[in-house]
Amino acid sequence: MLKVSFIGFRRHASLLRNIFEKKNNIKIHKIFTKTKINTSKYFFCDNIKSLLDSDIIVISSPTDFHFKQIKELQDFNGYIFCEKPIVGTLEEIKKLKSLKKLSRNKFYTNFNFRFNKISQVINYINSNKKFGKILKLNINISHSSALKKKWVNEWRLKTKSKLGPLETTGIHYVDFINEIFNKYKILNLFLFSQTKRGNKEVDTSELYLQSQKTILNLRFSYCEATRNTMEVIFDNGYAEYDGQKFNLYCPKNNFDVKGYSIPPKLYKSYKINFEQEWKKSIENSINYFLYNVKNKKTFTNFYKDLDVMKEILSYKKLV
């Protein structure tokens, strides 16, 4: 029986806890939180050191608290499952790399988009000679939660990184781009607020990247109509995702009987509900993590996972 403890209780922490709880041979051991919780279902503590007798510690708190919490876990001999990004500033990245006692080979970052069917479809396009090289990738992920009154003091709008939804949502897709394109450069980055509350919020992030001749445009917002869309233009056609279906169209050299160029035919269609697939990808990520833990395997991505955030924070306009 693996003893799993949590740093964080509500919202995303609750989602992760519910998934862990359903797994065989898993016991929710302790929960660290500074907030008073009225339930007798779990054992709560207000000292991180109390978690050291666990087999697994899940860090599911806001990013701004991660560095301090990880530092306090240097003597922990078990596995750490940490929500992305690991930390939120260049100074914290530097300090984290210098921690001598931290067991980095037992540290796992939850970049769950790696386990998402959408990423698998884009990978399929990128690796299949039938489609040719990806020329352009557009990703738009948004919802309008920032317009709700209870979001006035939402931590996601005021993180130390000042990246807004690029930190909390967009980092998944930057990590994915790093995986399939390997080398890229940042062309431009826009960080701004559409709520006009004037309290240094960032509710919208737009990032432009280039990998050789491929242009990538990523836009994330907490202040726009709910939209989960993607467009992939590749050498021999294009693909569109509308949050429900991912349609691939090819070949591009498609002509009518008069010789006029017409849109390519539908080549393949994938039914992928965005919200359902997102939850599945989280569970897939947890399954992968637990498989490695139970088989006493190690992880090797710690520094690479840190560098995903470092690349963005190092962009000249942020320094």
Side-chain angles (χ1 to χ4, degrees):
M1 183 72 70
L2 291 172
K3 295 182 291 184
V4 181
S5 292
F6 279 77
I7 298 176
F9 182 72
R10 294 190 173 94
R11 298 174 69 171
H12 193 67
S14 176
L15 172 63
L16 295 177
R17 189 175 64 252
N18 289 338
I19 295 174
F20 271 96
E21 252 181 330
K22 293 176 183 177
K23 301 300 175 184
N24 293 330
N25 299 316
I26 294 293
K27 175 188 176 184
I28 304 302
H29 185 47
K30 296 175 183 176
I31 297 175
F32 168 82
T33 178
K34 293 290 186 180
T35 305
K36 187 176 180 180
I37 308 295
N38 293 319
T39 178
S40 58
K41 184 177 179 180
Y42 304 106
F43 179 85
F44 294 92
C45 60
D46 58 5
N47 187 333
I48 286 184
K49 297 291 185 181
S50 299
L51 307 180
L52 296 181
D53 62 343
S54 308
D55 297 303
I56 295 169
I57 294 176
V58 178
I59 300 176
S60 50
S61 55
T63 310
D64 285 359
F65 301 114
H66 283 189
F67 176 73
K68 181 181 178 182
Q69 291 164 349
I70 294 170
K71 187 177 180 181
E72 291 187 63
L73 294 175
Q74 284 188 87
D75 294 323
F76 179 53
N77 293 319
Y79 287 83
I80 293 176
F81 179 101
C82 184
E83 266 306 314
K84 79 319 135 207
I86 302 173
V87 290
T89 69
L90 287 172
E91 182 182 3
E92 288 176 340
I93 290 173
K94 184 178 179 180
K95 287 181 178 179
L96 195 56
K97 287 183 176 182
S98 68
L99 293 182
K100 294 180 180 180
K101 295 181 181 180
L102 183 65
S103 297
R104 294 169 178 83
N105 62 351
K106 291 185 176 181
F107 194 105
Y108 179 79
T109 315
N110 187 31
F111 279 118
N112 55 276
F113 188 65
R114 295 174 184 175
F115 301 88
N116 193 299
K117 191 174 181 179
I118 296 170
S119 70
Q120 293 167 11
V121 173
I122 298 175
N123 256 322
Y124 168 67
I125 295 170
N126 189 55
S127 60
N128 194 315
K129 292 182 180 180
K130 180 179 181 66
F131 306 119
K133 182 179 176 60
I134 291 179
L135 306 174
K136 181 75 184 293
L137 173 62
N138 293 322
I139 297 176
N140 294 278
I141 309 294
S142 61
H143 58 77
S144 56
S145 295
L147 301 177
K148 297 188 292 187
K149 288 183 179 180
K150 67 179 183 179
W151 264 60
V152 171
N153 296 311
E154 173 62 34
W155 68 267
R156 288 169 174 80
L157 300 174
K158 304 173 185 178
T159 62
K160 287 188 286 188
S161 74
K162 298 179 174 63
L163 294 176
L166 179 55
E167 173 189 315
T168 52
T169 301
I171 197 72
H172 279 291
Y173 301 92
V174 178
D175 169 69
F176 170 68
I177 287 167
N178 188 49
E179 288 288 311
I180 66 169
F181 293 105
N182 196 12
K183 293 184 179 180
Y184 62 84
K185 64 178 179 180
I186 298 177
L187 299 178
N188 218 332
L189 173 60
F190 300 95
L191 305 166
F192 54 96
S193 173
Q194 299 185 62
T195 62
K196 299 179 180 179
R197 286 195 280 253
N199 53 2
K200 299 182 179 180
E201 294 180 351
V202 176
D203 57 53
T204 305
S205 315
E206 186 155 8
L207 178 66
Y208 290 85
L209 306 171
Q210 181 177 2
S211 176
Q212 296 183 359
K213 294 183 180 180
T214 304
I215 302 298
L216 308 114
N217 173 217
L218 318 176
R219 184 179 178 95
F220 309 98
S221 181
Y222 298 137
C223 201
E224 295 176 354
T226 296
R227 183 169 58 142
N228 304 301
T229 63
M230 299 182 194
E231 179 187 32
V232 187
I233 301 174
F234 45 88
D235 188 56
N236 195 29
Y238 67 95
E240 293 178 329
Y241 178 64
D242 63 1
Q244 298 293 333
K245 289 184 179 181
F246 211 131
N247 293 333
L248 279 61
Y249 300 89
C250 72
K252 66 179 179 182
N253 57 337
N254 196 30
F255 304 93
D256 63 16
V257 292
K258 294 182 179 180
Y260 293 109
S261 178
I262 58 176
K265 296 178 181 179
L266 177 65
Y267 174 76
K268 188 172 287 190
S269 182
Y270 300 87
K271 289 184 179 181
I272 310 174
N273 178 280
F274 185 85
E275 296 296 338
Q276 291 176 6
E277 185 59 31
W278 193 259
K279 291 178 181 178
K280 285 181 184 177
S281 72
I282 295 173
E283 183 159 8
N284 291 340
S285 180
I286 290 173
N287 288 340
Y288 172 78
F289 169 74
L290 288 175
Y291 172 83
N292 283 274
V293 172
K294 290 175 180 178
N295 288 279
K296 299 182 180 179
K297 295 188 176 185
T298 56
F299 301 101
T300 59
N301 271 18
F302 180 81
Y303 291 104
K304 187 176 181 181
D305 292 347
L306 270 181
D307 286 345
V308 175
M309 192 67 165
K310 183 181 177 182
E311 287 291 324
I312 301 171
L313 293 171
S314 298
Y315 180 59
K316 61 183 179 181
K317 292 187 178 180
L318 285 178
V319 175

